Coordinates of all heavy atoms in Angstrom, one line a residue:
R259 N 20.7 -38.1 120.3 CA 19.9 -37.1 119.6 C 19.9 -37.4 118.1 O 20.9 -37.7 117.5 CB 20.4 -35.7 119.9 CG 19.7 -34.6 119.2 CD 20.2 -33.3 119.6 NE 19.9 -32.3 118.6 CZ 19.8 -31.0 118.8 NH1 20.0 -30.6 120.1 NH2 19.6 -30.2 117.9
F260 N 18.7 -37.3 117.4 CA 18.6 -37.5 116.0 C 18.1 -36.2 115.4 O 17.0 -35.8 115.7 CB 17.6 -38.7 115.7 CG 17.4 -38.9 114.2 CD1 18.4 -39.4 113.4 CD2 16.2 -38.4 113.6 CE1 18.2 -39.6 112.1 CE2 16.0 -38.6 112.3 CZ 17.0 -39.2 111.5
N261 N 18.9 -35.5 114.6 CA 18.6 -34.3 113.9 C 17.8 -34.5 112.6 O 18.2 -35.4 111.9 CB 19.8 -33.4 113.7 CG 20.4 -32.8 114.9 OD1 19.7 -32.7 115.9 ND2 21.6 -32.5 114.9
G262 N 16.9 -33.6 112.3 CA 16.2 -33.6 111.0 C 17.0 -32.7 110.1 O 18.2 -32.4 110.4
Q263 N 16.4 -32.2 109.1 CA 17.0 -31.4 108.1 C 17.2 -30.0 108.7 O 16.2 -29.4 109.2 CB 16.2 -31.3 106.8 CG 16.8 -30.4 105.8 CD 15.9 -30.3 104.5 OE1 14.8 -30.8 104.5 NE2 16.4 -29.6 103.5
W264 N 18.4 -29.4 108.6 CA 18.6 -28.0 109.1 C 18.1 -27.1 108.1 O 18.3 -27.2 106.9 CB 20.1 -27.8 109.2 CG 20.8 -28.6 110.4 CD1 20.5 -29.8 110.8 CD2 21.8 -28.1 111.3 NE1 21.3 -30.2 111.8 CE2 22.1 -29.1 112.2 CE3 22.4 -26.9 111.4 CZ2 23.0 -28.9 113.2 CZ3 23.4 -26.7 112.3 CH2 23.7 -27.7 113.2
L265 N 17.4 -26.1 108.5 CA 16.8 -25.0 107.7 C 17.3 -23.7 108.0 O 17.4 -23.4 109.2 CB 15.2 -25.1 107.8 CG 14.6 -26.4 107.5 CD1 13.2 -26.5 108.0 CD2 14.6 -26.6 106.0
R266 N 17.6 -22.8 107.1 CA 18.1 -21.5 107.3 C 17.0 -20.5 107.8 O 16.0 -20.5 107.2 CB 18.8 -20.9 106.1 CG 20.1 -21.7 105.7 CD 20.7 -21.1 104.5 NE 21.9 -22.0 104.2 CZ 22.7 -21.7 103.3 NH1 22.6 -20.6 102.6 NH2 23.8 -22.5 103.1
L267 N 17.4 -19.7 108.7 CA 16.4 -18.7 109.2 C 17.0 -17.3 108.9 O 18.1 -17.0 109.3 CB 16.2 -18.8 110.7 CG 15.4 -20.0 111.2 CD1 15.3 -20.1 112.7 CD2 14.0 -20.0 110.6
W268 N 16.3 -16.5 108.1 CA 16.7 -15.2 107.8 C 15.9 -14.2 108.7 O 15.0 -14.6 109.3 CB 16.5 -14.9 106.3 CG 17.1 -15.9 105.4 CD1 16.6 -17.0 105.0 CD2 18.5 -15.9 104.9 NE1 17.5 -17.7 104.2 CE2 18.6 -17.0 104.1 CE3 19.5 -15.0 105.0 CZ2 19.8 -17.3 103.5 CZ3 20.7 -15.2 104.3 CH2 20.8 -16.4 103.6
R269 N 16.3 -13.0 108.7 CA 15.6 -12.0 109.4 C 14.1 -11.9 108.9 O 13.9 -11.8 107.7 CB 16.3 -10.6 109.3 CG 15.6 -9.6 110.2 CD 16.4 -8.3 110.1 NE 15.8 -7.3 111.0 CZ 15.9 -6.0 110.9 NH1 16.6 -5.6 109.9 NH2 15.3 -5.2 111.7
G270 N 13.2 -11.9 109.8 CA 11.8 -11.8 109.4 C 11.1 -13.1 109.7 O 11.5 -13.9 110.5
T271 N 10.0 -13.3 109.0 CA 9.2 -14.5 109.2 C 9.2 -15.4 108.0 O 9.1 -15.0 106.9 CB 7.7 -14.2 109.5 OG1 7.6 -13.2 110.6 CG2 6.9 -15.4 109.8
Q272 N 9.5 -16.7 108.2 CA 9.5 -17.7 107.2 C 8.5 -18.8 107.5 O 8.4 -19.2 108.7 CB 10.9 -18.3 107.0 CG 11.9 -17.4 106.5 CD 12.8 -16.9 107.7 OE1 13.4 -17.7 108.4 NE2 12.8 -15.6 107.9
M273 N 7.9 -19.4 106.5 CA 7.0 -20.5 106.7 C 7.6 -21.8 106.2 O 8.2 -21.7 105.1 CB 5.6 -20.3 106.0 CG 4.6 -21.3 106.3 SD 3.1 -21.1 105.4 CE 3.5 -21.8 103.9
F274 N 7.5 -22.8 107.0 CA 8.1 -24.1 106.6 C 7.0 -25.2 106.6 O 6.1 -25.2 107.5 CB 9.2 -24.5 107.5 CG 10.3 -23.6 107.6 CD1 10.4 -22.7 108.6 CD2 11.3 -23.5 106.6 CE1 11.5 -21.8 108.7 CE2 12.3 -22.6 106.6 CZ 12.4 -21.7 107.7
T275 N 7.0 -26.1 105.7 CA 6.2 -27.3 105.8 C 7.2 -28.5 106.1 O 7.9 -28.9 105.3 CB 5.5 -27.6 104.5 OG1 4.7 -26.5 104.2 CG2 4.6 -28.8 104.6
L276 N 7.2 -28.9 107.4 CA 8.1 -29.9 107.8 C 7.6 -31.3 107.6 O 6.4 -31.5 107.7 CB 8.4 -29.7 109.3 CG 9.1 -28.3 109.6 CD1 9.2 -28.2 111.1 CD2 10.4 -28.2 109.0
P277 N 8.4 -32.3 107.4 CA 8.0 -33.7 107.3 C 7.5 -34.2 108.6 O 7.9 -33.7 109.7 CB 9.2 -34.4 106.9 CG 10.2 -33.4 106.5 CD 9.9 -32.1 107.1
K278 N 6.5 -35.1 108.6 CA 5.9 -35.6 109.8 C 7.0 -36.2 110.7 O 7.0 -36.1 111.9 CB 4.9 -36.7 109.5 CG 3.6 -36.3 109.2 CD 2.7 -37.5 109.1 CE 1.5 -37.2 108.2 NZ 0.6 -38.3 108.1
E279 N 8.0 -36.9 110.0 CA 9.1 -37.5 110.8 C 9.9 -36.6 111.6 O 10.4 -36.9 112.7 CB 10.0 -38.3 109.8 CG 9.4 -39.4 109.0 CD 8.5 -38.8 107.8 OE1 8.8 -37.7 107.3 OE2 7.6 -39.5 107.4
D280 N 10.0 -35.3 111.2 CA 10.8 -34.3 111.9 C 10.0 -33.8 113.1 O 10.6 -33.3 114.0 CB 11.2 -33.2 111.0 CG 12.3 -33.5 110.1 OD1 12.9 -34.6 110.3 OD2 12.6 -32.7 109.2
L281 N 8.7 -33.9 113.1 CA 7.9 -33.4 114.2 C 7.4 -34.4 115.2 O 6.8 -34.1 116.1 CB 6.7 -32.7 113.6 CG 7.0 -31.4 112.8 CD1 5.8 -30.9 112.2 CD2 7.7 -30.4 113.6
I282 N 7.8 -35.7 115.0 CA 7.4 -36.7 115.9 C 7.9 -36.5 117.3 O 7.2 -36.6 118.3 CB 7.9 -38.1 115.4 CG1 7.1 -38.5 114.2 CG2 7.8 -39.2 116.5 CD1 7.6 -39.8 113.5
G283 N 9.2 -36.0 117.4 CA 9.7 -35.7 118.8 C 9.2 -34.5 119.4 O 9.3 -34.3 120.6
G284 N 8.6 -33.6 118.7 CA 8.0 -32.4 119.2 C 9.0 -31.4 119.7 O 8.7 -30.5 120.5
L285 N 10.2 -31.4 119.2 CA 11.3 -30.6 119.6 C 11.9 -29.8 118.4 O 12.2 -30.4 117.4 CB 12.4 -31.4 120.3 CG 12.0 -32.1 121.5 CD1 13.1 -33.1 121.9 CD2 11.8 -31.1 122.7
L286 N 12.1 -28.5 118.5 CA 12.7 -27.7 117.5 C 13.8 -26.9 118.3 O 13.6 -26.4 119.3 CB 11.8 -26.7 116.9 CG 10.6 -27.2 116.1 CD1 9.8 -26.0 115.7 CD2 11.1 -27.9 114.9
E287 N 15.0 -26.9 117.7 CA 16.1 -26.0 118.2 C 16.3 -24.9 117.2 O 16.3 -25.1 116.0 CB 17.4 -26.8 118.4 CG 18.5 -26.0 118.9 CD 19.8 -26.7 119.1 OE1 19.9 -27.9 118.8 OE2 20.8 -26.1 119.5
I288 N 16.5 -23.7 117.8 CA 16.9 -22.6 117.0 C 18.3 -22.2 117.4 O 18.6 -21.9 118.5 CB 16.0 -21.4 117.2 CG1 14.6 -21.8 116.7 CG2 16.5 -20.1 116.5 CD1 13.5 -20.9 117.1
K289 N 19.3 -22.4 116.5 CA 20.7 -22.3 116.7 C 21.2 -21.0 116.1 O 21.3 -21.0 114.9 CB 21.4 -23.5 116.2 CG 22.9 -23.6 116.6 CD 23.4 -24.9 116.1 CE 24.8 -25.1 116.6 NZ 24.8 -25.8 117.9

């Protein structure tokens, strides 16, 4: 497994602009 940059999630809705390289695999984990 190759992880991209970890981003913090706070309560509510946040918008992110992710690099193309992070979305190539089409997988997001919410930990």
Side-chain angles (χ1 to χ4, degrees):
R259 178 176 159 154
F260 177 75
N261 288 337
Q263 179 182 5
W264 289 41
L265 302 163
R266 293 179 182 190
L267 293 175
W268 305 89
R269 184 176 183 203
T271 305
Q272 297 98 58
M273 185 183 82
F274 302 101
T275 302
L276 300 174
K278 277 187 201 177
E279 297 79 27
D280 285 349
L281 294 174
I282 288 173
L285 299 166
L286 296 176
E287 179 179 0
I288 297 167
K289 188 176 189 90

